[in-house]
Amino acid sequence: MERALNRDSIQHLNDRYRQWRNWSGFWLLGLCNNFAYVVMLSAAQDILTKQESENATLFNPVLSTLDTEFQDVNPGNGSRYDCNSVSTAAVLLADILPTLIIKMTAPLVIHKVPYGFRVFFCVTMAATGFLVVSFSSTVWMSIIGVIFASTSAGFGELSFLSLTVFYSRDVLGGWGSGTGGAGVLGALLYAGLIQVGLSPQVTMLIMLTIPFTMLISYFFLLLPPPSFPQWKHEERDRGILTSEERQRLMVESQEEQDTSSQEDGRSGMLTLTEKMHIFKCLMPFVCALGLVYFAEYFINQGLMELLYFRNIFLTHAEQYRWYQTSYQVGVFVSRSSLCCFKIRKLWALALLQVLNAVLLLLEVSYQFLPGAWLVFAIILYEGLLGGTAYVNTFYFISKETGDRQREFAMAAASVGDCVGIALAAVAAFPVHRYFCSL
């Protein structure tokens, strides 16, 4: 009896240890996967501005001087919004389009690539992105670096969301919290390194530690099940039977044949028709998440730079940074909330986010709010809504889909946020142009 209790206690401790390692592993994977995306958005303006200035000075000093004078005069040239010459949505669009393309196409074929190779690909793309941006001497080279980082983030997100089906469902909380932490830590780390005097180029080189951390987290921290398809084709490892194997089973006992048929039905490879049917069933989740992110990034990249309060102690640039920080804090807190509560009514979150966007659009138009502190609170609330929608979307998809469909469903549904972000970036351009012309 005592030995049985000891065995149970040891097993319980082992289970808790495994659970902790897997949760921590997914937290770090979420952090590392989104880190490059966040840092690129933070650093792109610094690097591109420097390169544009250097290139203009190199090729035509006179035009460079005139351009500088124009930029200095433009904020006060009849505009009450202190506008930049180009909307921040331009950088976002360059960052999100590769991710969108990957998420729309990869779920149909990605099952053919073992997870180990997927992780190496993500690490290579992220490291290449940091290196290209760091050593770039022209604008187009920096854009290529951003594309590498975006490719890594997009491919990594749909791969790691699919990966969660091999573990207990609580690792989704670790993944969500890690992706939220990437926003806060990425923005703070980049700003902190710049503040102490490092150049954006040197800062990008320091960020090479992030892909290495992803590699360590995946291969040395996670504890996958024995049947996990690490390096082999997923079909063979998850019970897919070839025609020869099926023929051989035909001559075996009826009991073995029935068992094999049950396993094949549970874990067999999905056909294209089945995938299309699953995606159709996912549309309520995808559309709700897409609407949340459309409103969210319409605020972030279309309105946030226009929410300028002149008579306070913060400059325009400082206000924008703190807006972004408030948003990232909200995202981090809400993406870490899955262990505390779940919300199934995703359309309610989408409606609340749209109301946020309408409220801030009216504020940009009429400037009726009494102070910046209220805008900070609204943006924090915006981040809370966005993070809550993200983690609950994938939690309920994981919970409500069958074992056979879950891996594809988790990857396919990740396209929702990308579509919303891309549409928000497109919508932000005319809004920016209109208000900056006033």
Side-chain angles (χ1 to χ4, degrees):
M1 181 67 176
E2 186 175 343
R3 288 181 179 179
L5 288 175
N6 287 336
R7 282 198 301 269
D8 290 342
S9 299
I10 293 173
Q11 183 62 38
H12 177 71
L13 290 175
N14 287 337
D15 291 343
R16 294 286 294 176
Y17 175 69
R18 176 180 289 272
Q19 184 180 24
W20 175 84
R21 280 189 58 170
N22 289 334
W23 194 96
S24 302
F26 273 94
W27 192 92
L28 285 172
L29 289 174
L31 177 77
C32 296
N33 188 71
N34 282 29
F35 209 91
Y37 174 84
V38 172
V39 170
M40 290 299 177
L41 285 179
S42 301
Q45 187 176 7
D46 291 337
I47 294 175
L48 294 178
T49 300
K50 180 176 183 295
Q51 289 167 355
E52 287 175 350
S53 175
E54 288 176 350
N55 292 340
T57 303
L58 177 63
F59 293 113
N60 198 329
V62 176
L63 287 178
S64 175
T65 302
L66 291 174
D67 183 59
T68 302
E69 291 174 356
F70 174 78
Q71 290 181 11
D72 289 340
V73 174
N74 187 55
N77 188 19
S79 174
R80 61 187 181 184
Y81 298 102
D82 191 29
C83 295
N84 294 315
S85 58
V86 179
S87 171
T88 52
V91 177
L92 176 67
L93 197 59
D95 209 356
I96 200 62
L97 283 181
T99 299
L100 177 61
I101 293 170
I102 289 171
K103 288 187 176 182
M104 292 184 72
T105 57
L108 299 176
V109 296
I110 197 173
H111 61 277
K112 297 180 182 295
V113 183
Y115 280 93
F117 292 116
R118 298 190 206 181
V119 174
F120 272 118
F121 178 79
C122 293
V123 168
T124 302
M125 289 293 101
T128 303
F130 285 128
L131 287 171
V132 170
V133 171
S134 178
F135 291 109
S136 65
S137 56
T138 60
V139 171
W140 67 266
M141 284 185 64
S142 288
I143 293 298
I144 289 176
V146 171
I147 290 173
F148 276 118
S150 178
T151 301
S152 172
F155 196 82
E157 183 174 21
L158 64 89
S159 295
F160 293 129
L161 282 171
S162 297
L163 182 67
T164 61
V165 307
F166 295 95
Y167 297 84
S168 61
R169 195 168 289 127
D170 66 311
V171 299
L172 277 170
W175 166 263
S177 178
T179 56
V184 177
L185 296 178
L188 289 177
L189 181 59
Y190 176 79
L193 292 174
I194 296 297
Q195 192 69 32
V196 298
L198 296 179
S199 68
Q201 287 76 12
V202 173
T203 302
M204 289 293 104
L205 291 177
I206 293 175
M207 297 298 174
L208 286 171
T209 56
I210 299 302
F212 179 74
T213 302
M214 176 186 283
L215 206 63
I216 297 299
S217 302
Y218 178 80
F219 286 106
F220 297 100
L221 190 55
L222 291 182
L223 294 173
S227 60
F228 178 67
Q230 184 72 272
W231 299 109
K232 296 181 181 180
H233 197 292
E234 199 173 349
E235 295 178 18
R236 300 287 300 176
D237 287 80
R238 296 190 68 190
I240 306 299
L241 303 177
T242 65
S243 58
E244 293 180 359
E245 290 171 333
R246 292 182 186 276
Q247 186 64 34
R248 187 171 62 253
L249 285 173
M250 292 291 290
V251 298
E252 294 180 356
S253 68
Q254 184 64 40
E255 181 180 354
E256 291 176 346
Q257 187 177 20
D258 292 342
T259 302
S260 298
S261 299
Q262 291 172 5
E263 290 180 355
D264 185 63
R266 184 176 61 253
S267 59
M269 180 181 176
L270 296 169
T271 65
L272 182 60
T273 302
E274 288 176 314
K275 289 179 178 180
M276 293 298 100
H277 176 73
I278 293 169
F279 190 76
K280 182 180 179 181
C281 296
L282 291 174
M283 286 306 292
F285 291 104
V286 173
C287 292
L289 184 64
L291 185 57
V292 168
Y293 271 79
F294 171 80
E296 190 170 325
Y297 276 82
F298 180 76
I299 294 171
N300 292 354
Q301 309 305 137
L303 303 179
M304 201 175 282
E305 59 181 322
L306 304 175
L307 294 165
Y308 175 42
F309 293 83
R310 292 182 179 275
N311 299 319
I312 62 174
F313 65 96
L314 295 173
T315 66
H316 191 182
E318 290 170 339
Q319 287 178 50
Y320 183 80
R321 282 193 217 103
W322 281 108
Y323 288 152
Q324 291 286 356
T325 302
S326 299
Y327 164 75
Q328 297 292 358
V329 168
V331 170
F332 173 61
V333 171
S334 56
R335 288 196 179 190
S336 304
S337 66
L338 199 57
C339 59
C340 302
F341 59 87
K342 285 100 179 163
I343 298 177
R344 179 63 176 80
K345 297 180 179 180
L346 301 174
W347 282 104
L349 299 175
L351 176 60
L352 291 173
Q353 197 71 292
V354 170
L355 291 176
N356 263 350
V358 171
L359 175 63
L360 291 178
L361 180 60
L362 292 174
E363 162 58 20
V364 170
S365 301
Y366 300 106
Q367 298 184 338
F368 59 90
L369 293 178
W373 60 270
L374 190 53
V375 175
F376 284 121
I378 294 172
I379 290 174
L380 175 66
Y381 172 59
E382 171 212 344
L384 290 171
L385 288 176
T388 301
Y390 180 89
V391 293
N392 281 278
T393 293
F394 291 105
Y395 174 81
F396 283 103
I397 289 175
S398 174
K399 183 178 180 181
E400 296 175 12
T401 53
D403 293 343
R404 184 166 173 260
Q405 298 85 16
R406 188 174 297 129
E407 187 176 3
F408 170 77
M410 295 293 282
S414 66
V415 75
D417 58 346
C418 281
V419 171
I421 294 171
L423 292 176
V426 172
F429 282 108
V431 172
H432 179 273
R433 177 173 296 182
Y434 171 75
F435 284 108
C436 290
S437 67
L438 297 178

